[in-house]
Every structure is written in C-alpha cells, then in structure tokens.
Amino acid sequence: MAGLAKGNNPLQQWHHLFAASDNSKNGEAQAHMQQLLREGLPDRKQENWKYTSLDALSRYVFVPPQTTLPGRDVRDGLALPMDAVCVVLVNGRYSPELSDDPTACGFRVQWQNHPGSVPDAIQQEIFLHLTESMAPGVLHIEVPPERVTDKPLVLMNISMSSGNDHDALPFSHTRCHLTLGSNSKATVIEYYASQHTQAHFTGARLSIVAGENSELHHVKLGFENPRAYHFSHNDLWVNQDCRVFSNSYLLGGQLVRHHTSGRIDGENATVRINSLALPVGREVCDSRTWLAHNKGYGNSRQLHKTIVQDTARAVFNGQITVAPHAIKTDGQMTNNNLLLGRLAEVDTKPQLEIYADDVKCSHGATVGRIDNEQLFYLQTRGISQSAARRMIIYAFAAELTDAIADESLRGVVLERIGLRLPEERQ
C-alpha cells in the first residue's frame, strides 16, 4: 500500500467491513472487492494521483454507518427550497419513509437490495470498485418513453453519524441508476449533505442511460461538511439525438474527487458537462472528465472553473476522445482557474485524442489571480475592496451559476459560494 502514511491500513479495514456485510455473498460485489485488493491503493508516483494525496485516510478507523433514520425535521432542514419531488437516501440506503411519491410526477423508483443489474463503468477506478462492492443496494430510477416529467427529482443523499469519536470515519456508499426512455425529458438534482460536523467518507456512483431523442438536465450539489471525504463517479451513455446537460457544483469537503465519464453512442447528440469548485483552507478538489465521441455529428462543450483560496488545491484532468469515423464531431473543453491565496495551487491537464478526420475539437486552460486594475477601477467607484473582490468572484462564477434554470436553486448555490468566501469565514 505504497504512498500511505504508517498507521491504520484502509485497504485491510475495507476488506474487513466487506466481509462482515451482506454484500460478501454477492458475486458482483465480490469481484469488485477482489479487483480493489489486486490493484491496491494508489500512491503519488502514479500520474492520476500525482497531486492528490490519500495519506489522511490512514489516520482513521473506518466504521459502518448508523442505520437509524433521522426524523422528518432533519430531512426538511436539509431540503432544497424548490418545488421538486424528493427521494431520500440515508447513508446509502433508500428511505421511502422520508421520500415523496415520485410516481405522480412521472418517475418510477425501485430499490434493489444488492448491487448488480447495472452497466459496467465506462472508466474503471479504484474507488469505483470500492463503492460497487460496499453499496448496500441500487436505487433504480426510470422515466418512461414519451414522458415529460412534471417536476425535478431531487436525490437527497444524507450522511448521518452518532458519536464524537475523532478517530472514527463513518463509511457509506450510494448507488443510483437512471434510465430515460426515448423521447422523454427530465431534471434530476443529485444532492449530498451532511447532517453532522463529524468527518465521514462518502462513496457514490450515478449511472445514466439516455434513450433516443431524450433530454436530461442533471445538477450535482456537493454540499457536505468541511471534514468530509467524497469520492464519486457519474457515467453517461448518450444515444442518438439526445441532449444531456450536466452541471456539478463541488462546494464542500476536505477531499473531493469527482469523475464524470461519457460515451456518445448515437449521432446528432448534444452534451454539456460543466463544473464549479471552490476549495478553501487546506481542502483538495480533484475533478476529472472523460468523454468519447463514438458516433459522428455530435456536439459537446465542457466548461470547468475553480476558485482556489488559502492553501487549498484544485486538480482538473479532462479528455475528449474522437473515435474513427466519428466525422463532423464538434468538441470543446475549457478549464479556467482563479487563485485567491498566495499559496493556493491548481494543476490542470486537458487532453484530446482524435482518430477521425473532418472534426473540430479544441481545449484550453487558464490560471490567474484577481486583476489589481479591476479592483482599483471598482474602488474608484466607491466600492470597498472586499465588496469589489466579491463582485469579481461572482462574475467569474456567473457563467456556471446562470446555467441553473430554477431561481431558488440558483440562490442556494450563490449562498453556498458566499459562505465560502474569506469575509464570511472570519
């Protein structure tokens, strides 16, 4: 287990927790755990982990999450202030008692008590194997063909814990699978929140299959507490004439590593994958995308922005691959980064792999600090320096926050950004 500090061995602990769980009797879960044990935990000599250290994990004793459900008041206190259907998972388990009835709005939901019956991952990765082996079940969500859903569906993932043991790290995993029928349309909000201030570990995977001519608006809100460890994987399968819009707002967690992988398997598809991250203090936010254009006439745009403060670090790694014969592909990926701290750091690596002719693809990255001339200009208009800084920061994020159609939800994201700015944290 190279690369981890001496102390508790996370890999051994995870294997022990798996052996004590019901998942140990499931063949697919066993296969994922065996693959995890074969690969072992990565170290920083590996390219994909060069800037993201796992040393802190060895300081903890991993413990199973509590099974007691929170009260309805907890759910209501964490709920988003918007007109939506809320489906609640507590420590990775579906809670119908705390959930709304999704059927009236066009969604079908079914809980399966063991992993399985879901697509294989587009990009395999060590923490994906961990989630697939440890998730207590799969929440299947379906939108029937020809159905336009009446309201957004909020997948509220609540992390709960009892006790105040600083050495214990509650360990939960969430697994959801969404299927959109042909000619359907839906909005799904993937929302992660902590009910407590204790450190905890969240593993998550959401897989999405979009049928022909369907339209999906997906929003991920990473709003866990500042001591959380969050490792997640979103997989998108996009078919002919689909329109998929995915926006992630990663605004909480000591260590966040989020993957979005996509396959465009039909012609004339449109895909948008965007993200906004704002690590503070000593946090690390690591965002990764991989998108394959396997059919021609596809259009994809990616915009990833980070605002890095104090001694925090942001990592971005993105790749667009264009398969042979995927002609007339139009793909673009941009990563813009704003450094607010003298010791803040960003590491970025956008990539293209093109195996077809007659395509139009580009990528780019920028890293910079607040322009002193902009600050001076605003101050000459009677605006204080702190207010001027906030204006510039909000303007930098606006391209992504303005993409949120629901005004109430946009307000929640803007409020979360404001709480992470220096003036509010003093």
Side-chain angles (χ1 to χ4, degrees), residues 142-147 179-185 209-215:
E142 181 184 1
V143 180
E146 314 292 336
R147 182 63 195 258
T179 303
L180 273 73
S182 59
N183 304 304
S184 64
K185 181 178 179 180
V209 176
E212 290 187 6
N213 197 38
S214 62
E215 182 172 324

Side-chain angles (χ1 to χ4, degrees), residues 156-178:
M156 179 188 288
N157 299 272
I158 303 176
S159 174
M160 291 194 65
S161 178
S162 58
N164 297 306
D165 186 349
H166 294 293
D167 295 327
L169 194 67
F171 186 60
S172 63
H173 295 267
T174 297
R175 184 69 180 88
C176 298
H177 178 66
L178 171 64

Side-chain angles (χ1 to χ4, degrees), residues 86 105 114 263 277 280 338 365 425:
C86 186
C105 295
H114 57 80
R263 290 174 54 100
V280 303
L338 181 63
R425 295 186 288 117

Side-chain angles (χ1 to χ4, degrees), residues 223-353:
F223 286 4
E224 292 178 306
N225 73 44
R227 301 179 63 197
Y229 295 84
H230 182 97
F231 294 82
S232 59
H233 302 79
N234 288 353
D235 281 352
L236 307 171
W237 283 267
V238 183
N239 287 294
Q240 183 171 331
D241 298 315
C242 284
R243 299 163 302 283
V244 175
F245 306 86
S246 179
N247 295 292
S248 298
Y249 302 89
L250 309 174
L251 304 174
Q254 178 175 346
L255 172 57
V256 176
R257 186 170 169 110
H258 174 68
H259 295 248
T260 299
S261 302
R263 290 174 54 100
I264 298 178
D265 292 330
E267 292 185 346
N268 299 313
T270 298
V271 174
R272 300 289 182 267
I273 301 175
N274 304 319
S275 69
L276 175 66
L278 208 163
V280 303
R282 300 180 65 185
E283 295 175 357
V284 176
C285 186
D286 187 333
S287 178
R288 292 168 183 266
T289 68
W290 188 89
L291 180 63
H293 284 263
N294 294 325
K295 295 291 183 179
Y297 303 92
N299 180 288
S300 69
R301 293 289 183 273
Q302 296 186 48
L303 176 60
H304 306 278
K305 290 192 174 188
T306 66
I307 302 168
V308 193
Q309 300 183 65
D310 309 317
T311 59
R313 167 178 280 173
V315 181
F316 173 75
N317 189 308
Q319 181 171 315
I320 297 174
T321 299
V322 181
H325 311 300
I327 62 171
K328 302 298 183 182
T329 289
D330 183 355
Q332 180 179 312
M333 176 169 51
T334 303
N335 174 224
N336 296 328
N337 304 277
L338 181 63
L339 300 180
L340 299 185
R342 187 173 58 87
L343 299 178
E345 183 175 334
V346 62
D347 301 280
T348 177
K349 186 181 179 182
Q351 305 168 78
L352 297 176
E353 287 190 8

Side-chain angles (χ1 to χ4, degrees), residues 186-207:
T187 298
V188 175
I189 299 166
E190 185 188 5
Y191 171 40
Y192 294 87
S194 306
Q195 184 268 337
H196 51 83
T197 59
Q198 181 180 350
H200 64 90
F201 183 107
T202 300
R205 184 182 175 213
L206 171 64
S207 50

Side-chain angles (χ1 to χ4, degrees), residues 79-95:
L80 299 173
M82 60 182 299
D83 186 17
V85 177
C86 186
V87 171
V88 180
L89 296 99
V90 179
N91 291 334
R93 292 184 180 274
Y94 173 49
S95 173

